[in-house]
Structure formats: C-alpha cells, structure tokens
Amino acid sequence: MNADLIYDVGMHKGEDTEFYLRKGFRVVAIEANPELAAACATRFKEPVEKGRLTIVNKAINDAPGAIDFYINENESVWSTANLHWAKRNEKRGTTNTVIKVDAVTIASVIEAHGEPYFMKVDIEGNDIFCLTGLRSLGEKPKFISVESSATSEKDTMEQLDVLAELGYTRFKIVSQHDVARQTCPNPPREGLFVDHSFTWGASGLFGEETPGPWKSLDQVRSEYRRIHFDCRMAGQNAGIFRKVNRWKMRRLLGRMFPRSKGWFDTHATY
C-alpha cells in the first residue's frame, strides 16, 4: 500500500481531487467523460506535470473494452455507463448523449499505478464493479468510500456484502447533503491540515476524519434499512408521498421520514 496515494474514481470536475492534493496526497483520478478529463488536465496542469496527479480517462467496468457512456446534458454529475441509471435520469426530465468510451478494470489500474491508501468510488450505478474488482488483489485500500443506492435496498446490501467479503469490518454512513457543512479537523487526522470549503457534490472528509463513530456491519445494515424505508415513503424520486406539494405537508413528511433525501456514502475500513 502507498500511504500517500488516493484514488478518485469518478473525478467529475475535480471537486475531490483538489481536496486530496491540498492535503498532500498523490492522486490517481479516473474519469470516463473525455471533456471533463481534459478540463481537469488543464485545471490541474501543475500537479500533473509534477507527477502528483495522474488522470485516467477511462470507464471502470467488469471487463475491458469499448462501452456506451451516457453524458447527461443537464446534470453532468449524472453521466453514467449504466443504462438503467441513464433511463432513470431521463424520466427526471434530463437528456443524454451516448458516446463510446474505453473501459478498464480497477485491478488493471491498480496494477499500473499502485495500491492506494484511500479509494473514493462514485461512478453512478457501476460502483459495484470497483468493489468486486478488488477481489483479485492481495492488499486492499485501508479506507474506501462508495456511493450507496437511494432506490435499491438490494444494491446497497450487495455493496455491504462485498465490502465485508473484502475484509472491511468497520463502517460509517455519511449523508452527502451535509458535506458542505463539514470542517477539517485541526490537528489533522489524515494528511495535512487545510482550511477547505466543500462544494456541492464533493464527497468530503475521508478516513479517520469522517464524522461520527465507526459501526459494525450489522449496525449499518439496520441503519440502511431505515434509510430505504424513509426513501420508499417520502423520497423525491420514488417515494409514495413524493407528489405531495403543500409546503406544510412536505415539512411534516421530512420530520416523519428524516432520511428520505437518500444521498449517502458508505465509508469502510478494516
């Protein structure tokens, strides 16, 4: 394991890569969208030239080869290689442009660039390929985070099953709606201290700096069951009461089902 190396799987516009670089880490950033990868290469020209940042303009899949990638024209963060997610986003009123991109396995990227200390995974519906791709590796990242599904309890539990199979024993569920309010601890518990403000869509703090206590697998399973129940009741995309428009009723539903916003990351460590 390289204690100074972080993988940003799903770099997007570099919201997280910027933070990791400021913290003093080297970064391997993976981004399937060629326009975003090129923009980040320009934005982070200096760390790229100094060898502190490597940008891999590929999609992560369960096998190498050319695949379809759906660029969301309304919300770039919703771009995905997952057809089901692309169609779901179209039902939300957005449009996609389909392009062909090269895909690789996460194992092949790690073989080329080294085992990371921390790996952030956020690739819109195909996150599981990053987790299952670690099975063939001896040493795993000490810390890992992955976006959980707000609509599929089955997918969330599958992620937890694979994390446990990989040897992870301690977990946290971090609400992504609260990331913008996170503050970096001083003294730092990971890398250098930086006075960093997280933008909307960033994954936020990682490792021992993440908020809240580490929990057992059974505890996070139970917590996710409550989250998915709240989402089924009042989630904005698929909740039973999602069409309720009256402001007072929405406030009441928010109090009754406080986890219904449904945007969470699972963090794990050994």
Side-chain angles (χ1 to χ4, degrees), residues 195-213:
D195 186 11
H196 189 82
S197 296
F198 295 104
T199 58
W200 179 256
S203 294
L205 298 169
F206 64 92
E208 295 296 354
E209 293 190 342
T210 49

Side-chain angles (χ1 to χ4, degrees), residues 11 37 45 49 86 88 121 125-126 150 152 174 176 192 201 218 234 238:
M11 176 177 57
K45 181 180 178 181
E49 291 178 346
R88 181 200 67 178
V121 183
N126 281 354
S152 173
V174 177
Q176 291 307 100
L192 304 174
D218 287 342

